[in-house]
Amino acid sequence: MADIRVLPQSVADKIAAGEVCERPSSVCKELVENSIDAGADKISVEIKSGGIKYIRVTDNGCGISKEFAETAFLRHATSKLTEIDDLESLSTMGFRGEALASICSVARVELITKTKDEEMGTHLVIEGGIKKEKDEIVCNEGTTMVVEDLFKNIPARMKFMKKDSTEAGYVADTLSRIALAKPSVSIELISDGKTVFKTTGDGNISNAVLKVYGVECAKSLLEVDFEQNGIKVRGVIGKPEIARGNRTRQTLFVNERYIKNHVVSKIVEEAYKNSIMTGRFPFFVLGIIISPKLVDVNVHPAKTEVKFAYEKEVYDAVYYGVKNALFREDEKPKLNKELTFEKRMAESFPKPVQMSMTFAPKRENVLRDVVKTEPLSKPVQSKKQDTLDIDMKKFTEKYLEHTIPPKDLTEKAVEKNAEEIKEQEVVQEIKIEEEKMPRKIIGQLFDTYILYQQGEEAYLVDQHAAHERMRFEKLLKQRKQKISFSQGLLVPVVLDLDPSERVLLAENMEFFSEYGFEIEDFGGGSFIVRSTPVIGSDKEIISLVFEILEILKGNKKGGIMSLEERTLDTIACKYAIKANKKLSFAEMEDLLKGLDELLEKGITTCPHGRPIKVSLSKYELEKMFKRVV
Ligand code: ADP
Ligand code: MG
């Protein structure tokens, strides 16, 4: 690498200044990017306590010579840029020369490094920006940076740190994106002694996806390789069936630099239109390869945003690249080695599979689950959902229209109103009497609402809301009485988790066990679920764990519900009768009986506060049809 020089002020001033070490994940990002810039193809990152206590990044890159070891820590010292012209054709990850300077001003940094030409390596300790130690050391070629006690002496910054597990999750997320953007570099992350993931560095994106997201995801990839107007779009996208309820599994990089760009996300989603249900977001790891002259990476301090010179051309290339891949289903991306399922499983879940013979049935279960793919959700279906919602909205609007008291406030009108109110009171009294009349189920409306008649009143019950509330109340009661609702699974389920989710789950094992889950951490990123609160299909169990993780991440809004209520509600909701499900009369009868018990307790809404039941009286109908005035 070139010599490290302090940038002339004129160049330094043009560089977007900003915070590069906001939290452990940003420190890790800067250090790993430095390793990549140093030509390393093996990088190992170890963190303790979410990185707040300890971060170690070791690489096999070019190293820093003894002469420049201290210069590297000076502000605007860089070996990557000397003139402002260089800014326009940048290919390295770093270029501002401020990462090391910022990091060493807020932590204790230890550097161990050696270049190819040196006999002995250099050992340097800097604390609060001041050199504490410098000596020679015997070490391998490459660089190790150890960052300890981040923000220890800056309470104002420390305040912004989240729980260790949350910070560890951010680190895992950041590093997994870099690993996906750089499949030719092997990246390993160890958090509190456990390997979160380790990519092979063989240059194959599908293999990197396998290591980061697991086998189920890697199985459902389509390759994107497209070029138009000199703009290349490369990477992998997920088949519609692995779409998720959020955008966390979307990774975009420009010239191998991870960036965030909502427009590109939207464009990819647009290409998936009609293949994916509304509210689901496609998986993708896509790289845009474009002349560095046509991208400005200097718009954001963390370098996570870019500006394109020819936006439309870029967006078109992304759109057609994705669209083509989606409709060329038969050309699947190949994993580098022709891996059999057995081998792939063994790679992905090293310990459980290889441990003992008794594990065989569980593995079969995983295989079965991998092979079995859900049918494509047809566009027609999602449309149906839309129109259904709209119809219901219209229905409620219409209904409200007829129940809202008239706004006419002339004396006559008010008088008339008073009469009406009196009349309604009479009706109300009769209604109470009629509640006890026999119930006649008319049937189901839109496969979602049970319609029944009782005396002079018609009722519509939201089958999902009703069942969800019943299950919720039952779970709440069991929890209060300390009755365990754990149920052993005949065949355990294997979880494929994102690196950040692995950390979060490992931290919250006790929480999960409180709610009836028995989950075992097998290390190497795999988890086995042995018991769950309620028996369900593998798919349901997996999505239940994901949803609870979302709650723990703080992503799932629960209004006024407590953590306990939200968790119980998620469990209740998972196995409750869904909307759009045909019910037999016996099933409807059963559901309404259960509902009676809720109503006796005065419960009339689902846990989120939506009504379970609405009514329409014969009198109101007659008014609507102008049979009465
Ligand atoms: P920048 O990456 O923007 O140049 P940094 O403060 O991150 O600025 O790093 C300063 C300089 O230190 C780099 O330009 C590089 O020459 C050197 N350096 C930092 N980390 C490494 C590493 N892991 N291996 C080799 N050189 C490194
Ligand atoms: Mg750097």
Side-chain angles (χ1 to χ4, degrees):
M1 195 171 272
D3 293 353
I4 304 176
R5 285 198 213 105
V6 177
L7 287 174
Q9 195 58 42
S10 57
V11 179
D13 288 347
K14 294 220 165 50
I15 294 172
E19 201 57 73
V20 285
C21 52
E22 190 194 344
R23 51 183 0 110
S25 64
S26 33
V27 171
C28 289
K29 174 176 182 283
E30 292 295 334
L31 294 180
V32 169
E33 287 187 348
N34 278 348
S35 298
I36 291 170
D37 286 343
D41 63 4
K42 260 204 186 80
I43 303 169
S44 161
V45 181
E46 187 183 355
I47 58 169
K48 288 176 191 161
S49 308
I52 299 168
K53 279 237 126 28
Y54 180 92
I55 297 169
R56 176 188 55 80
V57 177
T58 299
D59 68 48
N60 63 348
C62 65
I64 307 173
S65 66
K66 190 169 158 193
E67 175 188 3
F68 289 117
E70 282 154 83
T71 321
F73 291 90
L74 295 177
R75 196 157 289 274
H76 298 309
T78 180
S79 54
K80 302 164 195 172
L81 186 73
T82 46
E83 294 298 330
I84 193 68
D85 281 355
D86 296 355
L87 246 182
E88 281 166 20
S89 53
L90 214 58
S91 62
T92 51
M93 314 284 286
F95 54 84
R96 300 195 171 100
E98 60 180 356
L100 293 185
S102 316
I103 296 167
C104 80
S105 66
V106 292
R108 179 186 190 273
V109 179
E110 192 171 353
L111 164 71
I112 296 166
T113 186
K114 191 180 94 66
T115 61
K116 190 167 78 228
D117 306 327
E118 289 171 321
E119 276 277 300
M120 292 289 283
T122 308
H123 175 231
L124 182 68
V125 179
I126 299 189
E127 244 182 282
I130 296 157
K131 181 171 88 177
K132 292 278 161 168
E133 277 173 50
K134 187 179 180 184
D135 42 35
E136 289 198 318
I137 194 169
V138 176
C139 64
N140 289 332
E141 191 185 324
T143 304
T144 292
M145 289 270 183
V146 178
V147 176
E148 282 169 294
D149 299 325
L150 193 62
F151 304 136
K152 192 184 173 189
N153 298 320
I154 311 167
R157 301 299 307 271
M158 204 57 187
K159 225 174 42 206
F160 290 105
M161 293 300 110
K162 301 205 174 139
K163 273 198 317 212
D164 288 359
S165 60
T166 310
E167 293 297 340
Y170 292 152
V171 173
D173 187 59
T174 306
L175 293 191
S176 58
R177 311 261 182 199
I178 299 178
L180 292 169
K182 298 272 178 190
S184 53
V185 180
S186 162
I187 296 181
E188 170 184 43
L189 172 65
I190 302 161
S191 172
D192 289 329
K194 279 194 186 132
T195 301
V196 182
F197 70 84
K198 182 180 183 177
T199 56
T200 53
D202 62 5
N204 185 306
I205 287 200
S206 305
N207 284 342
V209 170
L210 172 72
K211 295 300 177 186
V212 171
Y213 293 119
V215 72
E216 199 185 329
C217 193
K219 260 283 292 166
S220 305
L221 300 180
L222 300 169
E223 194 172 332
V224 175
D225 190 356
F226 188 78
E227 184 170 354
Q228 188 173 285
N229 299 327
I231 300 161
K232 288 195 190 100
V233 180
R234 292 224 180 104
V236 287
I237 57 170
K239 290 185 187 170
E241 67 254 21
I242 58 163
R244 278 194 167 191
N246 57 45
R247 291 194 174 91
T248 51
R249 288 189 169 192
Q250 300 190 338
T251 305
L252 177 70
F253 36 92
V254 172
N255 296 343
E256 300 204 321
R257 181 192 299 280
Y258 169 59
I259 61 147
K260 286 179 190 150
N261 187 310
H262 296 299
V263 185
V264 172
S265 290
K266 282 261 181 277
I267 284 177
V268 175
E269 284 156 22
E270 189 62 28
Y272 270 86
K273 207 168 164 187
N274 294 339
S275 317
I276 272 183
M277 264 189 342
T278 24
R280 310 289 290 174
F281 302 99
F283 172 94
F284 66 80
V285 178
L286 286 177
I288 298 169
I289 301 142
I290 186 171
S291 157
K293 290 202 156 97
L294 299 179
V295 214
D296 185 0
V297 287
N298 191 25
V299 291
H300 188 264
K303 296 168 284 185
T304 51
E305 278 167 33
V306 298
K307 262 212 303 260
F308 296 110
Y310 295 94
E311 283 190 334
K312 192 179 175 306
E313 283 72 11
V314 171
Y315 299 152
D316 275 355
V318 170
Y319 180 81
Y320 290 109
V322 172
K323 200 92 187 160
N324 279 344
L326 271 174
F327 291 98
R328 192 179 10 94
E329 259 254 35
D330 43 347
E331 270 178 59
K332 287 175 190 125
K334 288 163 200 77
L335 293 170
N336 237 11
K337 295 164 254 167
E338 257 313 299
L339 289 181
T340 59
F341 258 119
E342 300 283 304
K343 276 194 195 150
R344 222 178 294 159
M345 293 311 301
E347 272 218 70
S348 219
F349 306 108
K351 280 179 211 156
V353 176
Q354 288 160 357
M355 243 174 33
S356 71
M357 287 308 291
T358 50
F359 215 83
K362 291 159 211 161
R363 181 177 47 178
E364 274 163 27
N365 172 44
V366 179
L367 296 182
R368 198 194 59 220
D369 210 55
V370 167
V371 176
K372 162 181 90 185
T373 47
E374 249 208 340
L376 268 173
S377 54
K378 296 191 190 71
V380 200
Q381 233 171 330
S382 56
K383 231 184 179 155
K384 193 176 152 202
Q385 179 83 39
D386 284 343
T387 41
L388 181 86
D389 284 348
I390 293 160
D391 283 351
M392 242 356 258
K393 215 173 140 219
K394 269 193 200 148
F395 177 83
T396 14
E397 267 167 19
K398 271 257 143 45
Y399 172 59
L400 283 175
E401 217 175 81
H402 289 277
T403 49
I404 288 169
K407 287 250 158 63
D408 189 354
L409 289 175
T410 54
E411 213 171 299
K412 214 173 145 204
V414 172
E415 232 168 71
K416 194 169 165 254
N417 237 352
E419 261 170 48
E420 251 175 43
I421 289 166
K422 232 185 200 166
E423 226 175 301
Q424 268 172 10
E425 269 165 16
V426 178
V427 177
Q428 195 69 36
E429 270 165 40
I430 300 169
K431 250 193 237 169
I432 292 160
E433 272 302 297
E434 279 163 359
E435 286 279 359
K436 289 159 205 152
M437 307 262 306
R439 173 163 57 205
K440 183 179 161 201
I441 298 178
I442 311 291
Q444 221 180 349
L445 262 182
F446 312 119
D447 290 343
T448 300
Y449 308 95
I450 301 170
L451 175 63
Y452 71 90
Q453 176 191 337
Q454 201 164 25
E456 299 279 279
E457 201 82 11
Y459 295 95
L460 278 172
V461 170
D462 181 326
Q463 64 196 38
H464 176 69
H467 198 222
E468 181 181 347
R469 187 67 197 234
M470 280 174 222
R471 303 202 51 94
F472 177 80
E473 289 302 317
K474 192 173 163 210
L475 290 171
L476 199 64
K477 193 168 152 198
Q478 285 181 334
R479 225 177 117 72
K480 279 203 182 110
Q481 297 172 345
K482 300 217 158 38
I483 301 173
S484 154
F485 33 79
S486 185
Q487 310 214 22
L489 297 173
L490 285 178
V491 190
V493 176
V494 177
L495 291 175
D496 266 343
L497 297 179
D498 288 4
S500 63
E501 290 164 343
R502 283 172 210 162
V503 180
L504 192 64
L505 181 58
E507 283 288 324
N508 287 289
M509 295 291 247
E510 213 168 289
F511 181 85
F512 274 91
S513 93
E514 248 183 67
Y515 288 90
F517 289 90
E518 192 193 323
I519 303 178
E520 216 170 305
D521 182 354
F522 268 88
S526 41
F527 290 84
I528 306 277
V529 185
R530 301 199 180 284
S531 313
T532 53
V534 199
I535 302 284
S537 71
D538 292 7
K539 246 193 150 67
E540 284 172 325
I541 289 164
I542 290 167
S543 93
L544 180 60
V545 174
F546 281 142
E547 280 174 41
I548 296 176
L549 284 172
E550 286 297 307
I551 297 176
L552 290 168
K553 275 190 218 165
N555 287 349
K556 208 173 159 179
K557 301 215 167 24
I560 49 161
M561 284 198 273
S562 66
L563 179 63
E564 179 191 31
E565 285 169 342
R566 262 184 291 166
T567 309
L568 289 177
D569 176 45
T570 306
I571 298 169
C573 182
K574 189 90 280 172
Y575 304 105
I577 296 167
K578 301 277 180 297
N580 293 314
K581 187 185 183 297
K582 257 196 185 27
L583 297 180
S584 68
F585 273 88
E587 284 170 322
M588 288 190 252
E589 188 62 60
D590 257 11
L591 197 69
L592 293 179
K593 268 196 197 127
L595 181 60
D596 287 341
E597 284 172 34
L598 285 189
L599 294 174
E600 267 166 36
K601 288 189 220 150
I603 297 170
T604 57
T605 65
C606 81
H608 310 276
R610 285 189 287 110
I612 293 175
K613 177 167 131 169
V614 297
S615 65
L616 187 63
S617 70
K618 192 177 168 202
Y619 174 77
E620 282 162 324
L621 268 172
E622 282 172 343
K623 275 192 82 177
M624 279 185 209
F625 289 108
K626 311 271 184 242
R627 285 173 171 271
V628 293
V629 277

Coordinates of all heavy atoms in Angstrom, one line a residue, residues 567-613:
T567 N -46.4 -10.7 23.8 CA -45.9 -12.0 23.5 C -47.0 -13.0 23.5 O -47.1 -13.8 22.6 CB -44.8 -12.4 24.6 OG1 -43.9 -11.3 24.6 CG2 -44.1 -13.7 24.2
L568 N -47.9 -12.9 24.5 CA -49.0 -13.9 24.6 C -49.9 -13.7 23.4 O -50.4 -14.7 22.8 CB -49.8 -13.7 25.9 CG -49.1 -14.1 27.1 CD1 -49.9 -13.8 28.3 CD2 -48.7 -15.6 27.1
D569 N -50.1 -12.4 23.0 CA -51.0 -12.2 21.8 C -50.4 -12.8 20.6 O -51.1 -13.3 19.7 CB -51.2 -10.7 21.7 CG -52.0 -10.4 20.4 OD1 -53.1 -11.1 20.3 OD2 -51.7 -9.5 19.7
T570 N -49.1 -12.7 20.4 CA -48.4 -13.2 19.2 C -48.6 -14.7 19.2 O -48.9 -15.3 18.1 CB -46.9 -12.9 19.2 OG1 -46.8 -11.5 19.4 CG2 -46.2 -13.3 18.0
I571 N -48.5 -15.4 20.3 CA -48.7 -16.8 20.4 C -50.2 -17.1 20.1 O -50.5 -18.0 19.3 CB -48.3 -17.4 21.8 CG1 -46.8 -17.1 22.0 CG2 -48.7 -18.8 21.9 CD1 -46.4 -17.4 23.5
A572 N -51.1 -16.4 20.7 CA -52.5 -16.6 20.5 C -52.9 -16.4 19.1 O -53.6 -17.2 18.5 CB -53.3 -15.6 21.4
C573 N -52.3 -15.4 18.5 CA -52.7 -15.0 17.1 C -52.3 -16.1 16.1 O -53.0 -16.4 15.2 CB -52.1 -13.7 16.7 SG -52.5 -13.1 15.1
K574 N -51.1 -16.6 16.4 CA -50.5 -17.6 15.4 C -51.4 -18.8 15.2 O -51.6 -19.2 14.0 CB -49.1 -18.1 16.0 CG -48.3 -18.9 15.1 CD -47.4 -18.1 14.3 CE -47.9 -17.4 13.1 NZ -47.1 -16.5 12.4
Y575 N -52.0 -19.3 16.2 CA -52.8 -20.5 16.0 C -54.3 -20.2 16.0 O -55.1 -21.1 16.0 CB -52.4 -21.5 17.0 CG -51.0 -21.9 17.0 CD1 -50.1 -21.4 18.0 CD2 -50.4 -22.6 16.0 CE1 -48.8 -21.6 18.0 CE2 -49.1 -22.9 16.0 CZ -48.2 -22.4 17.0 OH -46.9 -22.6 16.9
A576 N -54.7 -19.0 16.0 CA -56.1 -18.7 15.9 C -56.6 -18.8 14.5 O -55.9 -18.7 13.5 CB -56.3 -17.2 16.4
I577 N -57.9 -19.1 14.4 CA -58.6 -19.2 13.1 C -58.4 -17.9 12.4 O -58.5 -16.8 12.9 CB -60.1 -19.4 13.3 CG1 -60.4 -20.8 14.1 CG2 -60.9 -19.4 12.0 CD1 -61.8 -20.9 14.6
K578 N -58.0 -18.1 11.1 CA -57.7 -16.9 10.3 C -58.9 -16.4 9.6 O -59.9 -17.0 9.5 CB -56.6 -17.3 9.2 CG -55.3 -17.8 9.8 CD -54.4 -16.7 10.2 CE -53.1 -17.2 10.8 NZ -53.2 -18.0 12.0
A579 N -58.8 -15.2 9.1 CA -59.8 -14.6 8.2 C -59.7 -15.4 6.9 O -58.7 -16.1 6.7 CB -59.6 -13.1 8.0
N580 N -60.7 -15.3 6.1 CA -60.7 -16.0 4.8 C -60.6 -17.6 5.0 O -60.0 -18.3 4.2 CB -59.5 -15.6 3.9 CG -59.7 -14.2 3.4 OD1 -60.7 -13.8 3.0 ND2 -58.6 -13.4 3.6
K581 N -61.2 -18.0 6.1 CA -61.2 -19.5 6.2 C -62.7 -19.9 6.4 O -63.4 -19.4 7.2 CB -60.4 -19.9 7.5 CG -60.3 -21.4 7.6 CD -59.6 -21.8 8.9 CE -59.4 -23.3 9.0 NZ -60.6 -24.1 9.0
K582 N -63.1 -20.9 5.6 CA -64.4 -21.4 5.6 C -64.6 -22.2 6.9 O -63.7 -22.9 7.3 CB -64.6 -22.4 4.5 CG -65.4 -21.8 3.4 CD -66.0 -22.8 2.4 CE -66.7 -22.2 1.3 NZ -66.3 -20.9 0.9
L583 N -65.7 -22.0 7.6 CA -66.0 -22.7 8.8 C -67.3 -23.5 8.6 O -68.2 -23.1 7.9 CB -66.2 -21.8 10.0 CG -65.0 -20.9 10.4 CD1 -65.4 -20.0 11.6 CD2 -63.8 -21.8 10.7
S584 N -67.3 -24.7 9.3 CA -68.6 -25.4 9.3 C -69.5 -24.8 10.3 O -69.1 -24.1 11.1 CB -68.3 -26.9 9.6 OG -67.9 -27.0 10.9
F585 N -70.8 -25.2 10.2 CA -71.7 -24.7 11.2 C -71.4 -25.1 12.6 O -71.5 -24.3 13.6 CB -73.2 -25.1 10.9 CG -73.8 -24.1 9.9 CD1 -73.7 -24.3 8.5 CD2 -74.5 -23.0 10.4 CE1 -74.2 -23.4 7.6 CE2 -75.1 -22.1 9.5 CZ -75.0 -22.3 8.1
A586 N -70.8 -26.3 12.7 CA -70.4 -26.8 14.1 C -69.3 -25.9 14.6 O -69.3 -25.6 15.8 CB -70.0 -28.3 14.0
E587 N -68.4 -25.6 13.7 CA -67.2 -24.8 14.1 C -67.7 -23.4 14.5 O -67.2 -22.8 15.5 CB -66.2 -24.7 13.0 CG -65.4 -25.9 12.8 CD -64.5 -25.9 11.5 OE1 -65.0 -25.4 10.5 OE2 -63.4 -26.4 11.6
M588 N -68.6 -22.9 13.8 CA -69.1 -21.5 14.1 C -69.9 -21.5 15.5 O -69.7 -20.7 16.3 CB -70.1 -21.0 13.0 CG -69.4 -20.7 11.7 SD -70.6 -19.9 10.6 CE -70.8 -21.1 9.4
E589 N -70.6 -22.6 15.7 CA -71.4 -22.8 16.9 C -70.4 -22.8 18.1 O -70.6 -22.1 19.1 CB -72.2 -24.1 16.9 CG -73.1 -24.3 18.0 CD -74.2 -23.2 18.1 OE1 -75.0 -23.1 17.1 OE2 -74.3 -22.5 19.1
D590 N -69.3 -23.6 17.9 CA -68.3 -23.7 19.0 C -67.7 -22.3 19.3 O -67.5 -22.0 20.5 CB -67.1 -24.6 18.4 CG -67.2 -26.0 19.0 OD1 -68.2 -26.3 19.6 OD2 -66.2 -26.7 18.8
L591 N -67.3 -21.6 18.2 CA -66.7 -20.3 18.4 C -67.6 -19.4 19.1 O -67.2 -18.6 20.0 CB -66.3 -19.8 17.0 CG -65.3 -18.7 17.0 CD1 -63.9 -19.2 17.4 CD2 -65.2 -18.1 15.6
L592 N -68.9 -19.4 18.8 CA -69.8 -18.4 19.4 C -70.0 -18.8 20.9 O -70.2 -17.9 21.7 CB -71.1 -18.4 18.7 CG -71.0 -17.8 17.2 CD1 -72.4 -17.9 16.6 CD2 -70.5 -16.4 17.3
K593 N -69.9 -20.1 21.2 CA -70.1 -20.5 22.6 C -68.9 -19.9 23.4 O -69.1 -19.4 24.5 CB -70.1 -22.0 22.7 CG -71.5 -22.6 22.7 CD -71.5 -24.0 23.1 CE -72.8 -24.7 22.7 NZ -72.6 -25.9 22.0
G594 N -67.7 -20.1 22.9 CA -66.5 -19.5 23.5 C -66.7 -18.0 23.7 O -66.3 -17.5 24.7
L595 N -67.2 -17.4 22.7 CA -67.4 -15.9 22.7 C -68.3 -15.5 23.8 O -68.1 -14.5 24.5 CB -67.9 -15.5 21.3 CG -68.1 -14.0 21.2 CD1 -66.8 -13.2 21.4 CD2 -68.6 -13.6 19.8
D596 N -69.4 -16.3 24.0 CA -70.3 -16.0 25.1 C -69.6 -15.8 26.5 O -69.9 -14.9 27.2 CB -71.4 -17.1 25.3 CG -72.4 -17.1 24.1 OD1 -72.5 -16.1 23.5 OD2 -73.0 -18.2 23.9
E597 N -68.6 -16.7 26.7 CA -67.9 -16.6 28.0 C -67.1 -15.3 28.1 O -67.0 -14.7 29.1 CB -66.9 -17.8 28.1 CG -67.5 -19.1 28.4 CD -66.6 -20.3 28.3 OE1 -65.4 -20.1 28.6 OE2 -67.0 -21.4 27.9
L598 N -66.5 -14.9 26.9 CA -65.8 -13.6 26.9 C -66.7 -12.5 27.2 O -66.4 -11.6 28.0 CB -65.2 -13.4 25.5 CG -63.9 -14.1 25.1 CD1 -63.4 -13.5 23.8 CD2 -62.8 -14.0 26.2
L599 N -67.9 -12.5 26.5 CA -68.9 -11.4 26.7 C -69.4 -11.3 28.1 O -69.6 -10.2 28.6 CB -70.0 -11.6 25.7 CG -69.6 -11.4 24.2 CD1 -70.8 -11.8 23.3 CD2 -69.1 -10.1 23.9
E600 N -69.5 -12.5 28.7 CA -70.0 -12.5 30.1 C -69.0 -11.7 31.0 O -69.3 -11.1 32.0 CB -70.1 -13.9 30.7 CG -71.5 -14.4 30.5 CD -71.5 -16.0 30.7 OE1 -70.8 -16.5 31.5 OE2 -72.3 -16.6 29.9
K601 N -67.7 -11.8 30.6 CA -66.6 -11.1 31.4 C -66.5 -9.7 30.9 O -65.6 -8.9 31.4 CB -65.3 -11.8 31.2 CG -65.2 -13.1 31.9 CD -63.7 -13.6 31.8 CE -63.7 -15.1 31.6 NZ -62.5 -15.5 30.8
G602 N -67.3 -9.3 30.0 CA -67.3 -7.9 29.5 C -66.2 -7.6 28.5 O -65.8 -6.5 28.2
I603 N -65.6 -8.7 27.9 CA -64.6 -8.5 26.9 C -65.2 -8.5 25.5 O -65.9 -9.4 25.1 CB -63.6 -9.7 27.0 CG1 -62.9 -9.7 28.3 CG2 -62.6 -9.6 25.8 CD1 -62.1 -10.9 28.6
T604 N -65.0 -7.4 24.8 CA -65.7 -7.2 23.5 C -64.7 -6.9 22.4 O -65.1 -6.7 21.3 CB -66.7 -6.0 23.6 OG1 -65.9 -4.9 24.0 CG2 -67.8 -6.3 24.6
T605 N -63.4 -6.9 22.7 CA -62.4 -6.5 21.6 C -61.3 -7.6 21.6 O -61.1 -8.4 22.5 CB -61.7 -5.2 21.9 OG1 -61.0 -5.3 23.1 CG2 -62.7 -4.1 22.0
C606 N -60.6 -7.6 20.5 CA -59.4 -8.5 20.4 C -58.3 -7.8 21.2 O -58.5 -6.6 21.6 CB -59.0 -8.6 18.9 SG -58.1 -7.3 18.3
P607 N -57.2 -8.5 21.5 CA -56.2 -7.8 22.3 C -55.7 -6.5 21.8 O -55.2 -5.7 22.6 CB -55.0 -8.9 22.3 CG -55.7 -10.2 22.0 CD -56.8 -9.8 21.1
H608 N -55.8 -6.2 20.5 CA -55.4 -4.9 20.0 C -56.5 -3.8 20.1 O -56.2 -2.7 19.7 CB -55.0 -5.0 18.5 CG -54.1 -6.2 18.2 ND1 -52.8 -6.1 18.3 CD2 -54.4 -7.4 17.8 CE1 -52.2 -7.2 18.0 NE2 -53.2 -8.1 17.7
G609 N -57.6 -4.2 20.6 CA -58.7 -3.3 20.8 C -59.7 -3.2 19.6 O -60.5 -2.3 19.6
R610 N -59.5 -4.0 18.6 CA -60.5 -4.0 17.5 C -61.8 -4.8 18.0 O -61.7 -5.8 18.7 CB -60.0 -4.7 16.3 CG -59.0 -3.8 15.6 CD -58.6 -4.3 14.2 NE -57.7 -5.5 14.3 CZ -58.1 -6.7 14.0 NH1 -59.3 -7.0 13.6 NH2 -57.2 -7.7 14.1
P611 N -63.0 -4.3 17.6 CA -64.2 -5.0 18.1 C -64.3 -6.4 17.5 O -63.8 -6.7 16.4 CB -65.3 -4.1 17.5 CG -64.7 -3.4 16.4 CD -63.3 -3.2 16.7
I612 N -64.9 -7.3 18.3 CA -65.1 -8.7 17.9 C -66.4 -8.8 17.2 O -66.6 -9.6 16.3 CB -65.0 -9.6 19.2 CG1 -63.6 -9.6 19.8 CG2 -65.5 -11.0 18.8 CD1 -63.5 -10.4 21.1
K613 N -67.4 -8.0 17.6 CA -68.7 -8.2 17.2 C -69.4 -6.9 16.9 O -69.2 -5.9 17.6 CB -69.5 -8.9 18.3 CG -70.9 -9.2 18.2 CD -71.3 -10.2 19.2 CE -72.6 -9.7 19.9 NZ -73.2 -10.7 20.8

